[in-house]
Amino acid sequence: MSEEDLYMVYRGVVVPKAVHTPESLQYAEEFNVREGDVFVSTYPKSGTTWMQEILTLIMSGGDFTPVLTLPNWDRVPWLEEHRTKELQMNERPSPRTLSTHLHYHMMPKSFYNSKAKVIYVLRNPKDVYTSSYYYYQMATYLVDPGTPDEFLMKFLDGKVMFGSWFDHVKGWLSAKEQVLYISYEEMIADLKGSVSKVCTFLDKPLSEEVMEKIADHCTFKNMKQNKMSNYSLVPKEFMDQTKSNFLRKGISGDWKNLVTVAQAELFDSVYKEKMKGIEYKFYWDE
Ligand code: A3P
């Protein structure tokens, strides 16, 4: 199907119509953010599902019941998705956990200057591009990516769902609220250390043993088996995991298997231009 059939533009950013409606986007804008709310914020394919699992386990104090009985979209629902309205978020007791792919400037009015906390997961954009390339092939609600060259141009131009990776990251780096910036690569390098970092940010101290158990459950191999997190509950018509699994490879640096030398050079030059003046030290630049 064409871009026109599948996408709409909301505040300058492409969003897929199957997941977001004008009503759901309005719901997000008017959402009543409360003190205690915790958001997982990401550009798509940066490790959202992974952080949703870690966050749920930290909030439950290491009780595995929620991650084993509730799908990720119910326990850490996307603020801007059409089904969230039905979840009666206003009735949920604090502290509530939510996810969002919204750019910083698109957050609910009540979010700014609130006491909510945000965990912003960053990932090397070349791996985000690579993960997206396979995801767009299997997710039928997205436009087929075409060739890697074609998809790369769209990705660098921000003509993909949730727009430009560069704008998303830059916007969130300018946030004034309480934000923990954590990278996918850091989580790969030291999962237990990353769990501990999130615990500290949330003021939720857990024993070494519990953090160890959380990290073990959240390894790629183990999460791939959890049907509440691996999207196997989603019908094949929407996500055809015979083409590519949602939990696909779970590594950093897989871009080297897709991106050619010439494409990497183009990527680097666009990156350099767009990220000029940003002082944040990205894990992948070190
Ligand atoms: P790959 O396609 O590179 O494998 P999101 O949840 O934001 O859509 O991100 C999906 C990406 O995170 C996929 O990357 C997926 O495999 C990866 N991922 C999910 N859970 C993971 C885990 N426990 N460990 C490592 N990577 C994980």
Side-chain angles (χ1 to χ4, degrees), residues 42-50 101 123 127 130-132 184 188 218-221 223 245-251 254:
T42 57
Y43 185 85
K45 312 319 288 174
S46 299
T48 328
T49 318
W50 198 3
H101 287 319
R123 187 180 190 187
D127 279 331
T130 304
S131 181
S132 304
Y184 182 96
I188 290 278
C218 293
T219 57
F220 181 75
K221 184 168 69 61
M223 262 183 71
N245 284 315
F246 189 95
L247 272 91
R248 190 185 59 92
K249 276 205 179 168
I251 58 171
D254 189 43

Side-chain angles (χ1 to χ4, degrees), residues 157-203:
D157 245 7
K159 301 268 174 2
V160 284
M161 72 162 155
F162 285 99
S164 158
W165 178 90
F166 305 99
D167 292 347
H168 201 280
V169 169
K170 286 192 281 189
W172 275 103
L173 285 177
S174 73
K176 310 274 180 303
E177 293 70 21
Q178 304 180 74
V179 184
L180 171 70
Y181 300 99
I182 187 162
S183 70
Y184 182 96
E185 292 73 19
E186 215 176 320
M187 289 157 69
I188 290 278
D190 179 9
L191 188 49
K192 191 182 153 216
S194 302
V195 170
S196 169
K197 206 167 166 176
V198 177
C199 286
T200 306
F201 175 67
L202 297 176
D203 276 328

Side-chain angles (χ1 to χ4, degrees), residues 40-57 67 70-73 75-76 78 99-101 121 123 131 135 184 187 217-220 223-224 226-232 239 246-248:
V40 174
S41 168
T42 57
Y43 185 85
K45 312 319 288 174
S46 299
T48 328
T49 318
W50 198 3
M51 188 51 78
Q52 287 173 330
E53 197 91 346
I54 294 171
L55 175 62
T56 306
L57 283 164
V67 290
L70 294 169
N72 59 326
W73 56 79
R75 57 182 140 84
V76 198
W78 268 271
S99 308
T100 187
H101 287 319
V121 186
R123 187 180 190 187
S131 181
Y135 185 64
Y184 182 96
M187 289 157 69
H217 171 85
C218 293
T219 57
F220 181 75
M223 262 183 71
K224 208 175 154 86
N226 184 4
K227 64 176 191 308
M228 295 299 158
S229 315
N230 64 13
Y231 283 85
S232 56
M239 280 187 193
F246 189 95
L247 272 91
R248 190 185 59 92

Side-chain angles (χ1 to χ4, degrees), residues 8-40:
M8 64 178 166
V9 176
Y10 170 63
R11 296 174 71 182
V13 168
V14 169
V15 292
K17 285 185 197 171
V19 193
H20 312 284
T21 59
E23 293 73 35
S24 77
L25 295 163
Q26 191 184 351
Y27 170 85
E29 266 189 40
E30 289 164 8
F31 188 80
N32 192 9
V33 175
R34 283 191 216 142
E35 179 168 354
D37 287 346
V38 184
F39 289 87
V40 174

